[in-house]
Amino acid sequence: MKKIICIVSFFCIATFSAFSQGYRNPIISGMAPDPSVCRVGDDYYLVTSSFIQNPALPIYHSKDLINWKLINYAVTDENGLDLSKGEGMYAPTIRYNPHDSTFYVICTNVGGGQNFIVHSKHPDSTWSKPVWLTNPRMGIDPSLFFEDDGTCYMQCTGDNNIIQIMIDPKTGEEISSFHYLTDGLGGRYPEGPHMYKVGNYYYLMISEGGTEFGHHVNLFRSDDIWGPFMPAPNNPILSHVGKNAQSNPIQCTGHADMIQAHDGSWWMVFLATRPILWAFYPLGRETFLAPVEWKNGWLTVNGNGTVTEEMNVKTLPQNSEISISQRKNSVRVIYGFEHGISNDWNAYRVSPQTVATKVSEGIEIKASNDYDAFIGVRQLDYYMDAEIKLEIADWEGEAGICVHHDDGKRYNLALVRENGKAFIKSECLFNSVNQVQTIEIESKTHVVYLKINSQKELYKFYWKYDNSSKDNVWREIGQMDAHFLAGGFSGLLVGPYVKKGKATINWCSFKYY
Ligand code: 6LW
């Protein structure tokens, strides 16, 4: 696939890449919740939840904890992904075990088999088939901790508390019975546990308060891995619940993981949101980064447990390859599909390759009764133009571009051809509410350009005839408030869909301001 990134101002980039002090939050923008991170030497690997997106469990790589590149997925159709039922992949954990030089990802396929582990020697290459953990006491948010001698402990949610068991991560065999670790400090949903050993202590970090505005992170320590665990004197160690963060554009901070960098510094990755208003955050839960400082056996996160968008702190030396989240100027990503469908693309439940096939002019998508014929990339920021050029070859059909939150919430912009007529249609689906605007266009039209422009609180829909046409101007067909596309665990995917017939998508382009 030909993917071109055009940078509008080369001057800005040169200035920014020379800058190894400070960074911008989020470090992975767009839907990237429940981040978990591990390190080997100066290579960092991060995994996030993906729910019913296929492929599942995106794996990112970085050299500086700030600029991340998507390199692979831990579970795909090839190693046994089954998203045919249930809610899909909740909060995974990634860990490296130096005893067998192997990476492990543990996760819950909610309603689709529950907990499993996959492993790989090379995270950018093949992952094993899942080993299933069948004990019904194991709840969501599983984590792994490798002791100095290689022994493996698994932590997860139990019955509104955090529990732990020793297991063999290659076979899933249970080596101990379950032990209770903590039920937290009284916040709802104690979850997202991770265990660390630092100096003479074991540290257990968990989230409480639910994933919404009460979300926060608490720390506990013990000199025995089975406890009892004592709470830190400065809990919550990360929280935007208090007055000091009430005007902060970042909210819902929680579900964190920690890492010691190769220079000895400590960092925390966690999820948070950037609401557009009140409780609405269409981009979903994104991945953020904060520095951690240790003092007298306890830690602080960025001084007072809050973070900002612009982080003016000393960082690891920053890599010259700057990821989209860190750019300070416009970025355009063009997918020409010359080499098929790259790993930026997802479909729901089935693979993008099931939905779309490579053809000489781009990709072809066919409507199907078995699945929603849609593929998308994550919407990475609130200010965006998403454009496609599409062609409906047969007379009848409906194909277009869509901003997709979940099955009940999506905005469609389409070319519709039926009964010898052609229309442009914009459609807002919000559960049982369906708002449609249609205009009739030249009946012979079978190639159109469609554009969705996102201006944070507002989506605007445009279309135009083929570039060769004398009538080559963008026309607006409608606007839709962005608030309806928010809620739940998900974020947004944007991309082409076909509801009826089949269409060729010649190219897609995404521009972020
Ligand atoms: C995840 C839980 C959470 O399992 O949301 O914010 C759930 N935290 O830990 C789904 O992402």
Side-chain angles (χ1 to χ4, degrees):
M1 168 173 305
K2 190 174 168 202
K3 183 171 160 182
I4 310 161
I5 297 183
C6 309
I7 309 305
V8 170
S9 162
F10 286 97
F11 175 73
C12 287
I13 272 297
T15 315
F16 192 51
S17 50
F19 189 60
S20 67
Q21 177 86 12
Y23 62 95
R24 179 189 296 189
N25 266 321
I27 47 165
I28 304 179
S29 58
M31 179 187 147
D34 309 313
S36 173
V37 66
C38 75
R39 172 177 77 83
V40 179
D42 61 354
D43 288 301
Y44 297 84
Y45 299 92
L46 187 147
V47 65
T48 68
S49 299
S50 56
F51 307 104
I52 58 164
Q53 292 174 11
N54 181 325
L57 304 182
I59 295 179
Y60 297 87
H61 173 257
S62 175
K63 286 277 189 188
D64 57 20
L65 284 167
I66 291 161
N67 296 286
W68 292 91
K69 188 176 174 201
L70 177 67
I71 54 161
N72 202 1
Y73 292 87
V75 200
T76 64
D77 284 6
E78 276 74 53
N79 63 338
L81 178 60
D82 182 2
L83 292 170
S84 56
K85 49 182 188 301
E87 295 168 45
M89 305 294 183
Y90 277 35
T93 297
I94 187 166
R95 292 291 180 260
Y96 177 72
N97 180 6
H99 282 264
D100 59 5
S101 314
T102 302
F103 293 86
Y104 293 85
V105 168
I106 186 167
C107 185
T108 320
N109 187 355
V110 176
Q114 290 300 105
N115 289 299
F116 66 88
I117 303 176
V118 288
H119 63 264
S120 172
K121 294 264 182 201
H122 307 285
D124 58 348
S125 179
T126 316
W127 286 80
S128 73
K129 286 198 177 340
V131 164
W132 291 95
L133 310 173
T134 51
N135 192 318
R137 284 195 64 188
M138 294 177 187
I140 56 166
D141 298 358
S143 184
L144 297 174
F145 170 75
F146 290 97
E147 190 42 290
D148 296 336
D149 63 2
T151 321
C152 179
Y153 295 80
M154 176 219 182
Q155 303 77 30
C156 62
T157 59
D159 183 13
N160 233 346
N161 53 23
I162 305 298
I163 54 178
Q164 179 171 261
I165 190 172
M166 277 169 82
I167 59 164
D168 179 331
K170 283 255 169 70
T171 63
E173 186 196 344
E174 297 182 10
I175 294 175
S176 75
S177 56
F178 272 107
H179 287 244
Y180 160 93
L181 295 184
T182 182
D183 49 13
L185 296 178
R188 62 175 72 171
Y189 303 119
E191 60 190 9
H194 291 303
M195 183 74 78
Y196 312 89
K197 190 176 184 182
V198 184
N200 297 326
Y201 288 108
Y202 295 92
Y203 290 85
L204 174 66
M205 192 165 74
I206 72 166
S207 287
E208 295 184 50
T211 198
E212 301 87 8
F213 286 74
H215 216 192
H216 58 277
V217 177
N218 287 329
L219 187 72
F220 303 79
R221 84 177 181 197
S222 173
D223 53 11
D224 187 326
I225 193 162
W226 297 109
F229 281 90
M230 304 301 295
N234 59 332
N235 277 327
I237 54 168
L238 173 71
S239 170
H240 279 212
V241 175
K243 274 187 192 157
N244 59 347
Q246 72 187 21
S247 310
N248 196 312
I250 300 168
Q251 293 294 323
C252 315
T253 51
H255 202 111
D257 196 5
M258 262 193 316
I259 188 99
Q260 184 173 28
H262 59 282
D263 70 349
S265 61
W266 281 82
W267 297 87
M268 180 178 281
V269 294
F270 53 95
L271 74 73
T273 64
R274 292 183 289 160
I276 56 177
L277 182 78
W278 294 104
F280 300 95
Y281 36 90
L283 291 184
R285 299 167 301 160
E286 307 173 278
T287 292
F288 291 69
L289 178 75
V292 166
E293 273 198 8
W294 289 89
K295 204 172 169 193
N296 303 328
W298 292 111
L299 61 82
T300 54
V301 180
N302 197 35
N304 68 355
T306 69
V307 295
T308 48
E309 287 183 300
E310 296 300 331
M311 293 290 293
N312 190 20
V313 297
K314 185 173 180 297
T315 70
L316 292 175
Q318 285 183 43
N319 204 277
S320 53
E321 200 182 334
I322 298 169
S323 60
I324 286 182
S325 304
Q326 298 301 316
R327 306 265 189 204
K328 290 207 165 172
N329 44 348
S330 305
V331 181
R332 185 187 284 275
V333 185
I334 301 173
Y335 296 94
F337 301 114
E338 282 83 353
H339 305 291
I341 304 156
S342 78
N343 72 354
D344 293 321
W345 293 90
N346 285 102
Y348 292 111
R349 299 202 186 271
V350 297
S351 70
Q353 287 73 18
T354 311
V355 176
T357 6
K358 164 100 191 75
V359 290
S360 56
E361 316 81 52
I363 51 168
E364 185 179 270
I365 302 182
K366 251 192 209 148
S368 162
N369 292 332
D370 300 332
Y371 49 80
D372 188 4
F374 164 76
I375 63 167
V377 295
R378 294 174 315 113
Q379 184 178 328
L380 296 178
D381 229 313
Y382 283 122
Y383 295 92
M384 172 199 72
D385 276 341
E387 274 176 53
I388 61 169
K389 180 186 177 192
L390 74 81
E391 198 171 341
I392 298 183
D394 300 331
W395 236 109
E396 300 276 300
E398 173 179 336
I401 183 167
C402 164
V403 192
H404 200 302
H405 188 273
D406 55 47
D407 279 346
K409 298 177 195 158
R410 53 189 285 181
Y411 296 168
N412 297 331
L413 171 65
L415 168 64
V416 181
R417 301 215 310 165
E418 59 190 12
N419 304 325
K421 292 182 173 177
F423 305 89
I424 299 290
K425 176 173 98 171
S426 77
E427 182 177 33
C428 160
L429 296 169
F430 179 65
N431 299 324
S432 55
V433 181
N434 186 357
Q435 247 189 41
V436 182
Q437 298 175 72
T438 322
I439 52 156
E440 193 171 343
I441 60 171
E442 279 175 32
S443 63
K444 62 178 189 310
T445 308
H446 64 105
V447 179
V448 283
Y449 290 75
L450 301 171
K451 174 160 82 175
I452 295 183
N453 166 249
S454 165
Q455 294 183 17
K456 205 170 183 181
E457 296 95 350
L458 200 65
Y459 284 98
K460 291 185 173 185
F461 306 105
Y462 299 88
W463 70 279
K464 66 180 183 180
Y465 289 111
D466 190 9
N467 266 357
S468 56
S469 153
K470 58 181 184 320
D471 221 355
N472 181 22
V473 285
W474 286 114
R475 296 144 207 259
E476 191 180 315
I477 175 175
Q479 304 190 353
M480 216 51 238
D481 193 297
H483 296 91
F484 300 109
L485 286 178
F489 289 156
S490 190
L492 297 173
L493 293 187
V494 189
Y497 80 96
V498 177
K499 193 168 165 192
K500 189 172 162 211
K502 63 179 185 195
T504 305
I505 315 302
N506 300 116
W507 53 259
C508 295
S509 133
F510 299 88
K511 182 175 175 188
Y512 293 98
Y513 300 95

